[in-house]
Every structure is written in C-alpha cells, then in structure tokens.
C-alpha cells in the first residue's frame, strides 16, 4: 500500500491498453484515491467500463478534458479543489499528432501539424502542472509525464512527435527547477514501445518491438505494468528527492550504440 492516503489524477486513459490504465491499476493496487480525465464522450464510455470493473464508475471523480481547451483544464483542477481540497500526484499520459505528420518525411512536416502535436503533447504539461501545483500545498507532490527515446536519437516514423517529446523533456527540467522549492517534483518516464492506440500510429512499432526483444540488454519488451510500477515509485514518498529526471523503462534499450543480437 505504497500510495495509501495519496490522491492522484490520471490523464490519458483511452482504453484497456493505455499506459495510463496500467498506471491507474498500479495506483489502485497500492491504495491511492483516483480521479480521471477523458478526452471526449466516446472515450468516457471506455473509461466508465474500466472503472466498473474496479469498484464502479461512481467511486471515481471523472472530468472531461481536451487539453487544447484552457477552460477544460481549469475546470479539472477547480473540480478537484472542491472534491478533494488537495492533490498528491498527476500522471500526464497524453500525446497526439496527425498520422500524416508521423509518416511523411521529416522535412515535410506541416506548420499546422507541428503546432498541433506540440500543443497537445507538450504545452499541455505546462497547463496541467500549473493547475496541479496550486493544489499540492505545503506537502508538495509529484507530477510525471511519458516520453520516448526518439529525442536524442533518430527513430524513423516518430518525426513530429520526437520534437514534441524534446519540448516535453525540457519542460520537465524547467518545471522541476521552478516548482522544486514547493516540494513539487516533476519527472518523465521514457517507456519502450508498447502496443496502444497512440503507439500504433507510429509506423514501424512492430519492428521497434522486435528490435527491443532481440537487442535490448534484457531481451524483452516492456508492459503497461512495468511502467505502472515505476509510476508508483514516482508518486510515492520513496521518490521524495527525485526530480527533473527522465527514467527509462525500456529493458535498457537506450544504452545500446550498436545492436548486439544473440
Ligand atoms: N505506446 C508507446 O509505445 C509509448 C512509448 C513511450 C511513450 N508513450 C507515451 O505514453 C503516453 C500515453 O500513450 P499510450 O501509448 O498509452 O496511448 P493511448 O492512445 O492509450 O493514450 C494517449 C492518450 O492521449 C489522449 N489525448 C490525445 N489528444 C488529447 C487531447 N487533445 N486532450 C486530452 N487528451 C488527449 C487520448 O485520449 C489518449 O487517452 C503518450 O504521451 C505517449 O507518447 C507511449
């Protein structure tokens, strides 16, 4: 029960395969009180069905939140202030890019597609951190996001999302620096490739998974549960002095300069 007494907001459950659902399940197992946001009504149905399997949809506050809408974001944290008064952790598991801007050559990324991907996948962390930190009070809290290791290295097919993740990782460091005096920690988990709705928009995901299995130091892919357990660490007091980090949950794949098969 590492999260007993903690109140956590999970953003980004689209379905059972979502990394956010892996995180929510791990948080639930560890005794956290949970609230959720959903992007739209269609995804709310998925979320409600998932919540019914773990105690009933009415046991969890849920809020509509399209992160492109400032009013939605503001209403989430107002709602949590009314309902809980404070917040201990936020899991930001949100990203989007047009398929076209993932699949066309990098030098043909459109201006509008670039702005869209950066707005949803990177700016949203700033807006969320602003709302969350205002509810974290004297005790502070933990905010974390999800990134992918296509920032330092080129992963064909990741294109515009690589730029968004670079911005996101930079935000983690600036937010960590600024919110640190209030004991608010900000980190990112860099997950290996996982089959999800967003993951399947990346051309070559299956190849990336094969490569991980064949060449990562641990010779295996990672799961939503692997990410969920690291998220528990980040939301818990065990990580009380950890901020501004990108923690890799990728079987060590990021270490390798040259693939070594066996
Ligand atoms: N799947 C992978 O291989 C992988 C690897 C590393 C990092 N990540 C990151 O993990 C996070 C979660 O993705 P996932 O793989 O679980 O896929 P997913 O499709 O299950 O989750 C993506 C979520 O983003 C939400 N979203 C998109 N646009 C939004 C908007 N305008 N407002 C609010 N929410 C919006 C969707 O509703 C969805 O819930 C993303 O940041 C993704 O980049 C994924």
């Amino acid at each position: 029960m590492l999260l007993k007494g903690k109140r956590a907001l999970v953003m980004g459950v689209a379905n059972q395969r979502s990394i956010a659902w892996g995180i929510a399940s791990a948080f639930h197992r560890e005794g956290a009180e949970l609230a959720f946001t959903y992007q739209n009504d269609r995804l709310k149905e998925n979320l409600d069905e998932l919540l019914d399997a773990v105690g009933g949809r009415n046991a969890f506050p849920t809020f509509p939140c399209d992160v492109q809408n400032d009013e939605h974001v503001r209403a989430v944290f107002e709602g949590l202030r009314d309902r809980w008064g404070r917040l201990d952790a936020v899991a930001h598991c949100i990203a989007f890019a047009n398929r076209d801007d993932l699949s066309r050559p990098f030098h043909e990324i459109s201006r509008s597609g670039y702005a869209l991907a950066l707005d949803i996948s990177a700016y949203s962390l700033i807006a969320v951190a602003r709302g969350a930190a205002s509810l974290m009070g004297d005790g502070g809290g933990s905010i974390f996001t999800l990134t992918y290791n296509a920032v330092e290295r080129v992963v064909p097919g990741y294109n515009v999302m690589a730029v968004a993740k670079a911005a996101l990782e930079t935000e983690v460091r600036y937010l960590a620096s600024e919110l640190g005096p209030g004991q608010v920690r900000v980190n990112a988990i860099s997950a290996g490739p996982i089959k999800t709705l967003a993951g399947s928009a990346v051309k070559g995901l299956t190849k990336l998974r094969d490569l991980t299995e064949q060449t990562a130091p641990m010779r295996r892919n990672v799961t939503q549960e692997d990410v969920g357990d690291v998220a528990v660490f980040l939301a818990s007091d065990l990580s009380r002095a950890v901020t501004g980090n990108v923690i890799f949950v990728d079987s060590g794949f990021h270490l390798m300069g040259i693939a070594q098969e066996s």
Side-chain angles (χ1 to χ4, degrees):
M1 298 298 267
L2 285 168
L3 299 180
K4 197 162 172 48
K6 300 273 190 209
R7 290 170 165 170
L9 173 68
V10 178
M11 308 182 77
V13 176
N15 58 35
Q16 196 178 352
R17 291 187 154 197
S18 293
I19 294 175
W21 186 245
I23 291 170
S25 306
F27 279 13
H28 185 64
R29 181 194 73 215
E30 297 297 333
E33 256 184 272
L34 295 177
F36 295 86
T37 62
Y38 53 89
Q39 185 187 351
N40 54 40
D41 289 346
R42 188 174 54 80
L43 296 181
K44 182 179 195 307
E45 283 175 29
N46 293 356
L47 177 63
D48 281 345
E49 277 175 26
L50 291 168
L51 295 180
D52 283 345
V54 291
R57 63 187 74 181
N58 295 328
F60 305 91
T62 62
F63 303 91
C65 184
D66 182 325
V67 291
Q68 289 198 283
N69 183 323
D70 287 334
E71 182 51 34
H72 282 191
V73 178
R74 204 188 49 74
V76 171
F77 295 102
E78 295 252 310
L80 286 173
R81 188 184 299 281
D82 291 346
R83 179 87 181 227
W84 283 349
R86 67 161 284 112
L87 186 62
D88 299 294
V90 180
H92 172 278
C93 317
I94 289 173
F96 182 80
N98 285 326
R99 262 174 204 264
D100 279 357
D101 290 302
L102 293 169
S103 59
R104 67 172 123 221
F106 189 86
H107 68 276
E108 288 177 13
I109 291 169
S110 66
R111 187 186 295 269
S112 61
Y114 184 99
L116 180 75
L118 271 280
D119 185 22
I120 296 177
S121 317
Y123 177 74
S124 62
L125 180 68
I126 299 175
V128 164
R130 188 162 54 233
S134 76
L135 282 177
M136 289 181 166
D138 290 343
S142 171
I143 299 167
F144 63 89
T145 187
L146 267 298
T147 187
Y148 179 63
N149 188 32
V151 172
E152 305 282 337
R153 298 171 204 282
V154 172
V155 177
Y158 213 69
N159 293 2
V160 74
M161 192 52 74
V163 186
K165 293 303 190 195
L168 186 73
E169 291 183 17
T170 302
E171 289 168 19
V172 164
R173 292 186 275 274
Y174 276 77
L175 289 168
S177 160
E178 216 168 77
L179 300 177
Q183 305 308 304
V184 174
R185 295 173 286 113
V186 187
N187 292 285
I189 296 174
S190 185
I194 301 177
K195 275 188 199 157
T196 62
L197 215 56
S200 63
V202 176
K203 222 169 93 190
L205 181 86
T206 305
K207 200 168 156 193
L208 284 170
R209 285 178 57 81
D210 289 348
L211 209 58
T212 304
E213 207 165 270
Q214 290 155 11
T215 68
M218 298 179 74
R219 303 289 195 274
R220 74 168 183 87
N221 275 296
V222 302
T223 62
Q224 286 84 341
E225 290 74 25
D226 294 327
V227 178
D229 285 348
V230 174
V232 167
F233 163 71
L234 283 179
S236 78
D237 294 339
L238 294 178
S239 62
R240 62 194 169 274
V242 177
T243 196
N245 284 277
V246 176
I247 301 179
F248 289 92
V249 181
D250 69 344
S251 306
F253 188 76
H254 69 284
L255 295 176
M256 306 307 292
I258 292 178
Q260 193 176 17
E261 294 187 48
S262 64

